[in-house]
Amino acid sequence: MCIRDRSKMKISEEEVNVLIENIGQIFSHIVDKDYFLEIYQRALANRLVFDLSFSHDAEKRLITMMKITCGPNFTLHLEGMLADMVQNEEAKNHFPEWREELEAKSGKPLSNGRQFDTLVLAGSHWPSFPSMKLNVSPEITEGIIKFHEYYRSKFQHKTLSICFTVGTMALSYVRGDKSNELVCTTLQAIILLLFNSHDSLPFKQIVEMIGMPEDLCRSHLVSLLGTGHQYILEKNPPAKAILPTDVFSLSSVFASPLKRITLPFPAQHEEAQSSKISIDRSVAIEAGIVKVMKARKVLSHNDLINELVNVLPTFVPDGKMIKDKIEELITKD
């Protein structure tokens, strides 16, 4: 899927083209292309947001291949996602420049040396990310408030919604004369910043202080725990399961020769949204029946099913769903 190898192993443009061609051949044999699209869109979102894509041109070539096979509506949101990334790249310096102007006018620094980068994504194109209101540290709140001020000054009639479940942060972890830069997810950073003012915290208190759902908090804490020397947190008692009374603290044995460390990201268990796909299929089948019958006027049931297969290239319509839709349309008439 045009993913850039984390080991930084070089891959040539020719190899990417071969990969895209192979994916195209596999794609042509997939029956339920709408399920593929659901999974692909989420994978593409992660690649774009976390900068894991080989190149946007490679992604665009693959999307064009799907567009030729299934039509422009199939890839509309994928193309919108790439367009958002282009706009963000073009505007990436606007917010820092705006903040520098404010600093020059006020005569005092507003960022305290912290860099705050954002991605503005159109909700209509991207998969739905879990949205929640969290209690975050002043270091993060300051950047959010300033970016809201900047965005309102540019786009008065648009509304921003902050999404904490995607994105990364780089934290400076200082212990005496030793320091490391920790690259982690935004939610991992929100948890770690609590330990600026607390030596230890029970799980239940972490959940209450941040306002994070327990399951989500638990999965992020698990990603910060371990038995080696490169895990940032430790738990007492050290049992695998996390209970409300378990106490967390910064690891006393953490050590790494690397100056910049990427912490393990939490495991993600994302499945295609079956209910959403079923609704989309129902709408598509109804539209397909209307389109075919307007053109053909009179058809047998079997001929109608055969026609629908031709006008619905992204999935094979279910016979029962077709029957139910025909009865529903007859009732409407």
Side-chain angles (χ1 to χ4, degrees), residues 279-305:
I279 293 171
D280 291 342
R281 285 187 173 189
S282 178
V283 173
I285 289 173
E286 182 174 330
I289 292 172
V290 172
K291 180 179 180 181
V292 170
M293 293 310 298
K294 278 187 176 180
R296 302 296 297 273
K297 307 301 181 185
V298 178
L299 276 178
S300 68
H301 181 74
N302 289 337
D303 288 339
L304 174 58
I305 291 176

Side-chain angles (χ1 to χ4, degrees), residues 9-27:
M9 185 172 64
K10 293 182 178 180
I11 180 171
S12 66
E13 192 74 21
E14 291 76 14
E15 290 173 307
V16 172
N17 291 333
V18 171
L19 178 61
I20 292 174
E21 289 177 8
N22 292 338
I23 294 173
Q25 292 178 10
I26 295 172
F27 178 76

Side-chain angles (χ1 to χ4, degrees), residues 85-121:
M85 299 306 294
V86 171
Q87 291 179 358
N88 277 286
E89 181 64 25
E90 293 173 350
K92 68 179 181 180
N93 294 324
H94 293 177
F95 174 57
E97 290 170 356
W98 175 86
R99 192 159 57 179
E100 287 176 4
E101 291 178 5
L102 285 186
E103 290 177 348
K105 291 178 181 178
S106 63
K108 59 180 181 180
L110 301 177
S111 61
N112 295 319
R114 291 184 289 268
Q115 184 177 343
F116 189 84
D117 298 322
T118 61
L119 290 175
V120 179
L121 311 176

Side-chain angles (χ1 to χ4, degrees), residues 42-147:
R42 289 190 172 276
L44 176 63
N46 283 334
R47 292 199 297 277
L48 296 179
V49 169
F50 294 109
D51 192 25
L52 298 176
S53 178
F54 177 82
S55 75
H56 286 191
D57 287 340
E59 300 283 5
K60 190 173 182 179
R61 289 202 298 274
L62 183 55
I63 291 171
T64 300
M65 176 272 298
M66 290 189 281
K67 184 177 182 179
I68 293 171
T69 303
C70 299
N73 287 338
F74 186 80
T75 58
L76 178 65
H77 295 314
L78 304 179
E79 291 175 306
M81 291 163 66
L82 290 182
D84 278 353
M85 299 306 294
V86 171
Q87 291 179 358
N88 277 286
E89 181 64 25
E90 293 173 350
K92 68 179 181 180
N93 294 324
H94 293 177
F95 174 57
E97 290 170 356
W98 175 86
R99 192 159 57 179
E100 287 176 4
E101 291 178 5
L102 285 186
E103 290 177 348
K105 291 178 181 178
S106 63
K108 59 180 181 180
L110 301 177
S111 61
N112 295 319
R114 291 184 289 268
Q115 184 177 343
F116 189 84
D117 298 322
T118 61
L119 290 175
V120 179
L121 311 176
S124 57
H125 293 311
W126 292 74
S128 57
F129 299 115
S131 180
M132 62 195 76
K133 291 184 178 180
L134 301 179
N135 304 314
V136 299
S137 67
E139 295 90 340
I140 299 175
T141 303
E142 181 270 336
I144 292 174
I145 291 173
K146 287 301 175 187
F147 187 77

